[in-house]
Amino acid sequence: MNILMWLIIVVGAIGVVSFLRLKLLNATIIVGLALLVGSSFGYVGFFSWLLFLAVAIPLNVDSIRVEYLTKPILKTYRKIMPEMSRTEQEAIDAGTVWWDGEIFSGDPNWSALHGIIQPRLSDEEQAFLDGPVEEVCRMVDEWDVHHDRADLSPETWQFLKDNKFFAMIIKKEYGGLEFSAYAQSRILQKLSGCNAVLATTVGVPNSLGPGELLQHYGTKEQQDHYLPRLAEGEEIPCFALTGREAGSDAGAIPDLGIVCKGQWQGEEVLGMRLTFEKRYITLAPVATVVGLAFKLFDPEGLLGGEEDLGITCALIPRDTDGLEIGNRHFPLNVPFQNGPLKGTDIFVPIDYIIGGADMAGQGWRMLVECLSVGRCITLPSTSAGGAKTMALATGAYARIRRQFKMPVGKMEGIEEMLGRIGGNAYMMDAVTSLSTNGVDMGEKPSVISAICKYHLTEKMRSVVNDAMDVHGGKGIMLGPNNYLGRAYQGAPIAITVEGANILTRNMMIYGQGAIRCHPFVLKEMYAAGNQDRGQGLEEFDEAIFGHIGFAMSNFFRSLWFSFTGARTADAPFSDETAKYYRAMKRYSSNMALLSDVAMGVLGGELKRRERLSARLGDILSYLYLGSAVLKKFDEQGRLKDDLPLMHWAMQDCLFELEKAMEELLQNFPNKALGVFLKVVIMPFGKSFSRPSDELDHQIATILQTPSDTRNRLAEGQYTGRDEGNAMGKLEQILDDVLAAEPLYDKVCDAAGERFPFTQLDEVGQKGLALGVLTDEEAALMNRAEQGRLDTINVDDFKPEELMADKSLAKPKRKSRSKKAA
């Protein structure tokens, strides 16, 4: 009994001070007071006090702690710390830590999340969305772009240039629009819901490329020359990084530049001889200026530094002698301008380097810093915009299309898919809103940008797959009336570019997150590498014991939250969302604990255990996605009608999070430790299941029924009832069919017969004959029938129309004349 009470007192006291994250001295005093109380009841004796003092004194006396604890730990740490390449170091140093740091803290501050001001469009940005963006959407004919031209029309290209679509990121002083990241996201969402080629053409120049690099790193002369020309559309930029030998491993590019002297415009100048071969370069076939990444060497020391300068970025005009450019790739029938370029022993002046000679070797840092912003905007936004439009289109189609004498959208199998489509679209919009808002606040969230790129492109693939299943043959048969097939074909493109998703999930999200977002790991690394040994020891002492306290805190927080169901965790609201806030606080502590255990047990080996890293990254990711959903629900007024979408998104996030956590523990290298951690973290198994059938049903109903909730889900998309807009036409047909249903019932009741819900025009005529419909109502029935047929019909072609080489078409056989009798 005495031993039990002793354990309760000691462990309880340590657990409380750890849970509350008290400072070391305060924690020591409280534990001492607890022992004093235990002594008064006879549960704590001499040896307990001796043990307490043996631990408390070295920890609290700086000189003893540093000499006998910190120094040996630092010596061991330096031996086991994994070697980091220069590119890895630059990637870690790039960007900032934002809400991802709160998630990693084990105790996210919900007041800070909801204190982030809701993003708003300026009057100028709204006018651009309502004007030029709407107009260019009206100009684009998808069949013409994808099948006839394999490009945007010349008129569309000129419109984009004239209205500065390629200058959204360029500052006003250079003639650009200087739009917010949030506005860029809304514009790309609208464009992607209209046409993928259009969205890609606009998105790429406003993401990683010459415009962004020049503004941040260019010389004054480079900025004054190029930025106004880029803003006016006189120059079309592209950026060439990927090559045959360097795809996801971009740091391994074999393309070379050698610093040397050479002739340029009749004079000898300091320059570079470049040899490179690039592929998959968007806008390359039409680009007038190429941003080029290569490894620069200075064997003669002409720049006065080391020989291997590293990755460098330069601007190469299209008309440079020796530059081979113009051929096109054909990416999965989505014919945005994309192609290879190459050059052999091309000489250019040294001042072609972006930022001049002083920026030689700084290319990788430049790229990863800009990529941390661009990856938050372009691909996540185009994915979210496509998902939102597909949610409307699939809901409308499912309500209009009938089989077995009922709308297919009322079948439970279809409801399951509509639930996923709607829930994912809601989540994706939430993530783009929060992430781009962070960029506008000045953040460069490198970890969050990787989360956004991976998860939103994967969810886009899920949405388009579900949409195709619902549409069936309508989605498969390409033609002018197919609004879905090209999105399905092109889905793998977004998965592959800007860091393939396999790489992003398995190596980047947690690989960077564990170091950047953890409150102590990066500090320990910097302290261990500090050349000032005294200062390094001091910094390491502070970091390592902060880390130990952090790990102890997350252990006891995880234990408490797991056995109490996190019922004592704080939540900013006491409504239906409270359980999600509490669960996420619990899982934040769990993730921080699992991270410390994984890094402590595996050390540098964790870098190579990609599947473990991926699952830890999944936990971090779903905590971020869930945060975005809760933020969106609050910003939109915590509306009761939106609850099904919010519940679906949160339950899906937390289900997937628990799945990743369970698989991590099942596959933990140390099986005994994995079992122990599961007892601490998931003693009663998983707490969340997949979204219920009822939630799927509610969302399916939302997607099939015009309402404010449905409008909010598709906010900002191109749904105008313009001639040629497939989405607008589908929305009008949905309205007509829904309006025709009560008229159909009226005619059937008057006739005493249930007619098939086909040939509505004839049903309308019957209604006129029976005197139960007016002329206007009969006309509506005619219009609904025509719209219904337009929705379910597919295109067909003469055989020769589908042949790229019309000369191969078989000539018509000549008819044989009968011989005279």
Side-chain angles (χ1 to χ4, degrees):
M1 181 65 180
N2 285 351
I3 295 175
L4 178 61
M5 290 304 299
W6 181 88
L7 284 172
I8 291 173
I9 292 169
V10 174
V11 176
I14 294 173
V16 169
V17 299
S18 297
F19 186 96
L20 298 175
R21 297 184 172 177
L22 300 182
K23 291 184 177 180
L24 179 59
L25 181 58
N26 295 336
T28 303
I29 292 171
I30 289 177
V31 173
L33 291 174
L35 291 175
L36 190 61
V37 172
S39 295
S40 66
F41 288 97
Y43 297 124
V44 176
F46 172 76
F47 287 106
S48 297
W49 280 104
L50 190 63
L51 179 63
F52 170 71
L53 293 173
V55 174
I57 291 173
L59 288 178
N60 285 276
V61 178
D62 292 350
S63 59
I64 298 175
R65 183 182 67 247
V66 171
E67 184 65 30
Y68 296 102
L69 295 176
T70 306
K71 278 187 177 180
I73 296 172
L74 177 56
K75 184 177 180 181
T76 303
Y77 184 90
R78 283 178 172 145
K79 289 180 180 178
I80 65 173
M81 185 173 68
E83 185 178 350
M84 188 175 295
S85 68
R86 176 180 172 182
T87 54
E88 287 176 318
Q89 182 67 56
E90 289 176 340
I92 291 296
D93 291 341
T96 59
V97 176
W98 184 47
W99 182 248
D100 44 340
E102 281 290 330
I103 292 171
F104 226 109
S105 72
D107 187 19
N109 183 348
W110 301 123
S111 297
L113 176 68
H114 291 295
I116 298 170
I117 298 174
Q118 182 176 356
R120 303 281 186 188
L121 295 172
S122 68
D123 291 342
E124 181 185 4
E125 291 166 343
Q126 187 64 60
F128 190 81
L129 264 169
D130 296 339
V133 176
E134 192 86 5
E135 180 62 29
V136 79
C137 287
R138 282 194 287 267
M139 294 174 68
V140 172
D141 179 331
E142 184 159 87
W143 184 251
D144 176 65
V145 170
H146 287 257
H147 186 74
D148 296 335
R149 299 178 186 274
D151 192 10
L152 299 171
S153 68
E155 295 79 14
T156 303
W157 273 103
Q158 193 59 49
F159 185 87
L160 294 175
K161 295 176 184 178
D162 292 344
N163 288 275
K164 301 187 177 182
F165 275 82
F166 303 141
M168 291 192 290
I169 61 170
I170 296 177
K171 294 178 181 178
K172 291 183 182 295
E173 64 183 283
Y174 298 109
L177 298 175
E178 200 173 350
F179 282 168
S180 65
Y182 177 71
Q184 293 174 51
S185 175
R186 298 293 118 174
I187 291 165
L188 291 174
Q189 285 193 32
K190 192 167 193 171
L191 295 178
S192 67
C194 172
N195 181 261
V197 174
L198 177 63
T200 303
T201 302
V202 172
V204 169
N206 289 289
S207 183
L208 177 64
E212 180 82 351
L213 294 171
L214 281 167
Q215 290 197 124
H216 288 285
Y217 311 105
T219 64
K220 184 70 165 57
E221 292 77 14
Q222 289 171 340
Q223 292 172 342
D224 290 342
H225 175 76
Y226 278 112
L227 290 176
R229 297 168 65 83
L230 289 168
E232 294 298 327
E234 295 177 32
E235 301 275 11
I236 299 296
C238 72
F239 190 80
L241 175 61
T242 304
R244 183 174 57 205
E245 305 297 340
S248 296
D249 184 10
I253 55 176
D255 310 290
L256 299 178
I258 305 296
V259 178
C260 61
K261 292 184 179 181
Q263 291 295 313
W264 185 259
Q265 297 178 351
E267 297 181 13
E268 184 180 69
V269 299
L270 183 62
M272 306 169 288
R273 291 203 173 275
L274 306 175
T275 297
F276 54 88
E277 185 172 357
K278 304 289 189 178
R279 62 181 183 178
Y280 310 153
I281 310 305
T282 298
L283 295 186
V286 296
T288 60
V289 59
V290 177
L292 182 70
F294 55 92
K295 286 183 177 176
L296 184 63
F297 294 87
D298 185 11
E300 299 179 37
L302 297 175
L303 295 180
E306 56 190 27
E307 179 178 348
D308 184 355
L309 296 172
I311 295 175
T312 301
C313 297
L315 292 177
I316 313 298
R318 184 187 184 94
D319 59 4
T320 301
D321 288 343
L323 177 61
E324 298 179 35
I325 188 171
N327 282 356
R328 294 182 64 177
H329 297 309
F330 192 27
L332 287 175
N333 272 334
V334 184
F336 57 92
Q337 291 286 342
N338 184 279
L341 53 88
K342 64 183 296 186
T344 302
D345 203 31
I346 295 176
F347 181 79
V348 296
I350 202 73
D351 58 11
Y352 273 25
I353 295 175
I354 296 175
D358 290 343
M359 295 301 288
Q362 300 299 309
W364 187 247
R365 177 176 66 84
M366 294 159 60
L367 294 175
V368 292
E369 285 180 353
C370 291
L371 194 61
S372 64
V373 172
R375 293 206 329 167
C376 263
I377 303 172
T378 306
L379 287 171
S381 300
T382 53
S383 297
K388 288 162 65 175
T389 294
M390 280 186 274
L392 255 66
T394 309
Y397 179 83
R399 189 64 181 79
I400 296 165
R401 175 63 164 160
R402 289 182 174 238
Q403 293 285 272
F404 307 106
K405 300 182 179 179
M406 63 188 295
V408 297
K410 294 186 180 296
M411 299 176 181
E412 288 194 352
I414 301 296
E415 286 187 340
E416 179 184 359
M417 295 180 180
L418 291 175
R420 275 200 302 267
I421 292 170
N424 277 322
Y426 183 85
M427 182 193 300
M428 294 166 75
D429 189 58
V431 173
T432 57
S433 179
L434 178 61
S435 305
T436 55
N437 196 12
V439 172
D440 287 329
M441 293 166 60
E443 301 291 342
K444 293 183 177 180
S446 54
V447 176
I448 286 174
S449 69
I451 291 172
C452 293
K453 191 274 174 179
Y454 171 76
H455 286 278
L456 267 61
T457 55
E458 288 293 343
K459 289 186 178 298
M460 176 274 296
R461 177 156 61 178
S462 170
V463 167
V464 74
N465 282 343
D466 283 335
M468 280 294 287
D469 284 352
V470 173
H471 282 77
K474 173 70 176 181
I476 292 171
M477 299 303 167
L478 293 175
N481 291 306
N482 186 319
Y483 46 80
L484 186 60
R486 299 299 186 180
Y488 178 80
Q489 286 181 319
I493 298 172
I495 300 294
T496 302
V497 300
E498 290 192 8
N501 277 8
I502 295 174
L503 166 80
T504 303
R505 176 174 178 257
N506 286 273
M507 298 176 68
M508 292 183 64
I509 294 175
Y510 188 76
Q512 291 186 23
I515 297 175
R516 284 207 59 81
C517 302
H518 194 289
F520 298 104
V521 168
L522 194 57
K523 294 177 182 178
E524 291 165 354
M525 293 175 64
Y526 285 151
N530 195 329
Q531 297 302 311
D532 184 330
R533 294 292 180 171
Q535 184 182 20
L537 181 62
E538 182 181 338
E539 292 172 349
F540 188 79
D541 176 69
E542 182 179 350
I544 194 65
F545 284 99
H547 193 160
I548 291 170
F550 179 71
M552 290 177 61
S553 170
N554 287 312
F555 173 80
F556 284 106
R557 290 173 68 85
S558 293
L559 190 66
W560 176 257
F561 287 150
S562 298
F563 279 89
T564 62
R567 291 178 180 84
T568 61
D570 64 294
F573 304 98
S574 56
D575 57 9
E576 296 93 335
T577 63
K579 61 182 178 181
Y580 302 132
Y581 287 102
R582 295 189 180 110
M584 288 175 63
K585 181 148 288 197
R586 167 189 172 183
Y587 296 136
S588 174
S589 294
N590 294 164
M591 185 196 66
L593 173 63
L594 289 170
S595 294
D596 281 332
V597 172
M599 286 187 285
V601 172
L602 296 172
E605 181 66 18
L606 180 59
K607 180 179 175 181
R608 289 172 286 277
R609 300 299 294 267
E610 295 173 16
R611 298 188 71 178
L612 295 181
S613 177
R615 291 171 180 128
L616 286 163
D618 288 343
I619 299 169
L620 173 62
S621 297
Y622 285 114
L623 286 169
Y624 180 73
L625 301 184
S627 299
V629 169
L630 293 172
K631 174 74 168 154
K632 174 185 174 73
F633 182 69
D634 184 60
E635 287 180 344
Q636 292 194 328
R638 313 188 72 77
L639 300 172
K640 183 178 180 181
D641 290 344
D642 292 356
L643 280 173
L645 294 165
M646 184 277 295
H647 281 309
W648 193 99
M650 287 306 305
Q651 290 173 25
D652 182 69
C653 276
L654 296 177
F655 171 80
E656 293 294 341
L657 183 153
E658 288 187 332
K659 176 183 172 184
M661 194 177 293
E662 185 175 56
E663 290 179 354
L664 172 68
L665 296 173
Q666 288 173 347
N667 291 278
F668 205 78
N670 186 315
K671 297 300 181 184
L673 186 54
V675 171
F676 173 73
L677 288 170
K678 188 166 185 180
V679 172
V680 172
I681 290 173
M682 307 177 77
F684 308 116
K686 292 187 285 190
S687 302
F688 288 89
S689 57
R690 291 187 185 278
S692 67
D693 295 353
E694 177 58 27
L695 270 181
D696 286 340
H697 168 73
Q698 292 173 16
I699 294 175
T701 302
I702 289 171
L703 295 189
Q704 296 176 79
T705 311
S707 66
D708 289 341
T709 300
R710 189 173 184 270
N711 291 340
R712 280 190 295 275
L713 181 64
E715 184 181 6
Q717 296 309 106
Y718 177 51
T719 57
R721 312 293 168 93
D722 306 315
E723 182 68 28
N725 180 14
M727 293 302 105
K729 180 179 180 181
L730 197 57
E731 289 292 285
Q732 183 60 57
I733 295 169
L734 175 63
D735 288 347
D736 290 345
V737 167
L738 292 176
E741 285 181 350
L743 303 180
Y744 162 83
D745 289 336
K746 186 189 294 187
V747 175
C748 290
D749 290 344
E753 180 182 354
R754 298 302 295 178
F755 302 112
F757 199 81
T758 57
Q759 299 178 327
L760 295 179
D761 50 343
E762 294 184 10
V763 175
Q765 292 303 310
K766 287 183 180 7
L768 281 176
L770 292 169
V772 295
L773 294 184
T774 65
D775 289 339
E776 291 79 7
E777 290 171 332
L780 170 62
M781 296 291 280
N782 285 338
R783 191 167 68 247
E785 175 61 14
Q786 185 57 56
R788 190 186 70 81
L789 291 175
D790 288 345
T791 300
I792 65 176
N793 284 343
V794 298
D795 298 288
D796 56 74
F797 306 88
K798 294 177 181 178
E800 60 270 18
E801 289 184 88
L802 297 180
M803 300 181 70
D805 186 351
K806 299 295 191 291
S807 67
L808 298 177
K810 291 181 180 180
K812 292 182 179 179
R813 290 184 178 181
K814 294 180 180 180
S815 58
R816 296 180 179 178
S817 58
K818 292 183 179 181
K819 293 182 178 180

